[in-house]
Amino acid sequence: MSTWGQSRGKAASRRGGSSSGQRSEEEIVDISDESFWEPRPRDVNRDPDGAETEDSAGLDAFPEDVELVITSVMMLKRPKYRYRISFGVYSLEVHEDVMIKYRMIKGAVFTKVDLEEIVAADERQQGYADAVKYLSLKPRTTYEIAQRLGEKGWSEETIQDVLVRLQSEGYVDDAVYAQEWASQRVKLRGKGKLWVKHELRQKGVSKSHIEEALGEVSEDDEFESALQLGLKKWQGTTGEPLDRKRKTGAFLQRRGFSGGVVSRVMRELGNREQMHGMDDWDEE
């Protein structure tokens, strides 16, 4: 298996949720102190008059040009690997990897500008998790992943950052994808190079990668695939020889085989059937 293929088998299972928002205490576990695993009473914030206040969730609510001190770090039970970071009455949620990278521990100080960078990093992490989950089902091209992430609502900037990361880690390689696709479709699926070329174009593969991939498929491999299909079609077709020839040739062309390959197949079938006139195939 290629390195690219092995990388695809290592699809990460971590999955991010929303980047910010308030959650009930039943969904979170406080890991800020030694009582991490013990039941924790509901925290209540109060204003100077003693009245209860709601936590302000979301980055937009954070004040500008103020040092914000982390007052608690809570691990969410759902979704996995996400944490709620509180700054007094303000809070946001991030992936575990992001939390570790930016050392978001109790007592750490940040500004709103710092948090904007962190939220952007968290969005990239979530987009990456979506992409890896999509790749875990089967190989995809760069274009297909970008389309998928766009449908999920990720920004163009996030999508491009995710694609760069996937490519650097070997999860995505359009050149290798095209080569594997072309080989399998011709040898195992009975498709001609013209058919495969059209498929790869639809998958957003570049012209250079397509040409290189099709160049790796030998003429003999394509001919053998066409011959097996042609023989099966010929044997299952009734009528006069010329009519059977027309139907068989047209069938092979619809499968994406070129006129040259079809002519070669018709000559071979003619030799096997000891028939003359099977080598003058004209493309329709």
Side-chain angles (χ1 to χ4, degrees):
M1 180 184 296
S2 64
T3 302
W4 177 72
Q6 293 172 349
S7 296
R8 290 192 272 103
K10 301 177 182 177
S13 62
R14 294 187 176 182
R15 169 84 171 148
S18 60
S19 61
S20 62
Q22 183 176 0
R23 296 180 180 274
S24 64
E25 295 297 333
E26 290 76 10
E27 293 180 323
I28 55 182
V29 179
D30 190 354
I31 65 168
S32 302
D33 50 40
E34 296 179 356
S35 61
F36 170 36
W37 297 111
E38 298 178 4
R40 184 174 181 275
R42 184 174 68 90
D43 288 335
V44 177
N45 296 306
R46 297 181 183 278
D47 62 21
D49 297 326
E52 292 188 12
T53 61
E54 294 292 333
D55 277 4
S56 297
L59 191 57
D60 290 341
F62 282 60
E64 304 280 354
D65 302 322
V66 174
E67 289 191 340
L68 300 160
V69 182
I70 295 180
T71 55
S72 68
V73 178
M74 298 177 177
M75 181 177 68
L76 304 179
K77 291 182 178 179
R78 293 180 301 275
K80 292 183 178 181
Y81 308 111
R82 292 197 65 77
Y83 291 74
R84 183 182 181 189
I85 313 297
S86 296
F87 303 80
V89 298
Y90 306 100
S91 66
L92 55 82
E93 294 175 10
V94 299
H95 190 275
E96 180 180 75
D97 291 347
V98 175
M99 180 192 71
I100 294 173
K101 176 181 178 180
Y102 289 91
R103 298 182 61 80
M104 302 185 79
I105 60 178
K106 187 175 182 180
V109 179
F110 296 86
T111 65
K112 186 173 182 179
V113 173
D114 297 329
L115 297 181
E116 288 173 347
E117 177 185 343
I118 290 172
V119 168
D122 187 61
E123 289 180 352
R124 291 193 295 270
Q125 177 62 37
Q126 292 184 73
Y128 174 81
D130 282 344
V132 170
K133 182 177 180 180
Y134 188 50
L135 279 167
S136 69
L137 302 177
K138 65 177 184 178
R140 313 281 183 176
T141 65
T142 301
Y143 173 80
E144 289 175 320
I145 296 171
Q147 290 291 103
R148 176 68 171 186
L149 294 180
E151 292 171 359
K152 299 281 283 186
W154 298 115
S155 68
E156 184 63 28
E157 182 179 0
T158 295
I159 292 172
Q160 292 305 314
D161 286 338
V162 169
L163 292 176
V164 169
R165 180 177 175 183
L166 291 172
Q167 290 167 346
S168 67
E169 294 177 350
Y171 283 101
V172 181
D173 189 324
D174 281 359
V176 175
Y177 180 97
Q179 290 173 8
E180 293 186 355
W181 182 270
S183 177
Q184 292 176 5
R185 298 297 276 179
V186 172
K187 294 179 182 179
L188 304 179
R189 299 290 181 142
K191 304 294 186 181
K193 289 185 179 182
L194 295 177
W195 182 294
V196 174
K197 182 178 183 180
H198 176 70
E199 288 180 321
L200 290 175
R201 280 179 174 174
Q202 289 186 316
K203 292 175 174 292
V205 179
S206 69
K207 181 179 179 180
S208 61
H209 287 333
I210 294 176
E211 292 178 350
E212 182 180 357
L214 294 177
E216 293 292 323
V217 179
S218 70
E219 294 182 4
D220 288 341
D221 285 338
E222 187 180 23
F223 167 72
E224 186 62 31
S225 179
L227 178 60
Q228 296 303 316
L229 284 174
L231 182 60
K232 184 176 181 180
K233 179 66 175 178
W234 177 266
Q235 293 174 340
T237 302
T238 58
E240 295 297 320
L242 289 180
D243 188 45
R244 295 173 69 187
K245 169 193 169 183
R246 180 185 61 79
K247 291 180 179 179
T248 301
F251 169 73
L252 291 177
Q253 284 196 309
R254 288 196 300 271
R255 301 283 288 196
F257 294 101
S258 67
V261 172
V262 174
S263 294
R264 186 180 173 189
V265 169
M266 302 312 294
R267 285 196 298 271
E268 177 63 26
L269 292 177
N271 292 335
R272 295 188 181 190
E273 295 286 331
Q274 295 183 345
M275 295 175 57
H276 300 290
M278 290 287 284
D279 56 348
D280 56 348
W281 170 257
D282 294 322
E283 294 187 51
E284 297 182 359

